[in-house]
C-alpha cells in the first residue's frame, strides 16, 4: 500500500483505504430501448451566463445518439453535444425540443 502523508504512523493494511483514493464506478446501462419506452425529462443550466437545455436519460447506443443529435441540431438550428446518456443543446428551447422529439416517438415525464 502506498504511504499517505496524512496517515502518519498508522498501518491499516491492504483492506483499508482513504475515502478520496478510489471513486466507485458509475453503473452504465447498456440496455437499448425503443423511443416509445423512453421517459425523458428536461433540465436547464446556466453556463457562463448562457442557458443550456439538457434532455436525459436516453437508452441508445453511442452511434444512434449521435445520429439523433445531428437531426435535432439541424431541425432546431442550434448547437449541441452528447454527454454520457444525455443531449445538451445551446439555448432555452425545451418547447421546440419537446415537439420534435415527440414527432420522433419519444415520451416525457409529466
Amino acid at each position: 500500500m502506498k504511504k499517505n502523508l496524512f496517515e502518519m504512523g498508522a498501518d491499516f493494511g491492504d483492506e483499508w483505504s482513504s475515502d478520496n483514493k478510489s471513486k466507485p464506478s458509475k453503473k452504465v446501462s447498456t440496455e437499448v430501448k425503443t423511443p416509445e419506452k423512453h421517459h425523458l425529462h428536461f433540465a436547464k443550466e446556466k453556463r457562463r451566463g448562457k442557458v443550456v437545455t439538457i434532455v436525459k436519460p436516453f437508452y441508445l447506443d453511442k452511434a444512434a445518439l449521435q445520429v439523433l443529435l445531428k437531426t435535432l441540431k439541424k431541425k432546431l438550428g442550434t448547437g449541441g453535444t452528447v454527454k454520457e446518456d444525455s443531449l445538451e443543446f445551446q439555448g432555452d428551447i425545451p418547447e421546440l425540443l419537446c415537439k420534435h422529439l415527440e414527432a420522433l416517438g419519444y415520451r416525457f415525464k409529466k
Side-chain angles (χ1 to χ4, degrees), residues 47-94:
R47 296 185 184 165
R48 297 185 190 144
K50 313 234 185 219
V51 179
V52 176
T53 304
I54 303 169
V55 185
K56 59 183 175 181
F58 283 96
Y59 298 102
L60 299 171
D61 59 346
K62 199 76 163 169
L65 205 53
Q66 287 287 350
V67 170
L68 177 64
L69 175 71
K70 188 172 183 178
T71 58
L72 287 172
K73 285 190 339 183
K74 274 188 179 179
K75 288 181 180 180
L76 297 169
T78 185
T81 186
V82 175
K83 298 275 176 100
E84 293 176 6
D85 63 341
S86 65
L87 296 179
E88 296 182 359
F89 293 93
Q90 296 173 355
D92 187 10
I93 52 168

Side-chain angles (χ1 to χ4, degrees), residues 90-109:
Q90 296 173 355
D92 187 10
I93 52 168
E95 298 85 19
L96 287 171
L97 199 52
C98 183
K99 184 177 77 171
H100 288 296
L101 282 170
E102 282 177 344
L104 293 172
Y106 290 92
R107 297 187 341 185
F108 294 91
K109 289 184 179 177

